[in-house]
Amino acid sequence: QVQLVESGGGLVQAGGSLRLSCQASANILSFSVMGWYRQAPGKERELVATIGTGGTTNVVDSVKDRFTISRENAKNTVYLQMNSLKPEDTAVYFCNGLRALTTHWGQGTQVTVSS
């Protein structure tokens, strides 16, 4: 059973930064793609960023100039660096990974940005 465990969420003021971490219980290079999603209250879960096995990254346009996805293979960890946070970034952030045709999700970490 593969597990994805997120950490790094919290309460931050607008303009601040947070770095989310997602540690996998399996080799992250065995995932064809890993990513971050978020779900704000009353809204659907939405894609934020992805990183492929080869290291190719994709960040959605709405946060592209503020968020960065990266990974540390030796720690089986994927990161989401979030800068210049805005109140509208408030959401539960979920780690996601596709491995052997199975999608895995973490339990989520809350990010709250105060104005």
Side-chain angles (χ1 to χ4, degrees):
Q1 180 74 12
V2 174
Q3 289 187 323
L4 302 176
V5 179
E6 303 100 331
S7 62
L11 174 64
V12 63
Q13 288 188 334
S17 297
L18 284 174
R19 187 178 77 160
L20 306 183
S21 300
C22 170
Q23 185 167 32
S25 61
N27 187 336
I28 60 172
L29 295 181
S30 68
F31 291 83
S32 55
V33 62
M34 296 192 73
W36 288 95
Y37 287 70
R38 68 184 181 184
Q39 187 166 18
K43 295 188 177 181
E44 293 186 354
R45 193 171 297 189
E46 63 176 2
L47 175 67
V48 176
T50 61
I51 184 165
T53 301
T56 301
T57 61
N58 179 57
V59 181
V60 297
D61 287 344
S62 59
V63 300
K64 181 172 287 188
D65 58 342
R66 300 185 293 120
F67 291 10
T68 303
I69 188 170
S70 63
R71 70 186 184 201
E72 190 169 356
N73 297 341
K75 294 185 176 181
N76 290 321
T77 299
V78 175
Y79 302 101
L80 184 68
Q81 178 67 43
M82 307 186 294
N83 299 326
S84 302
L85 283 161
K86 304 176 181 180
E88 51 263 44
D89 294 319
T90 294
V92 179
Y93 284 71
F94 297 91
C95 181
N96 167 281
L98 177 63
R99 181 176 184 263
L101 302 180
T102 300
T103 299
H104 301 274
W105 290 96
Q107 81 288 352
T109 186
Q110 176 71 46
V111 172
T112 303
V113 185
S114 62
S115 58

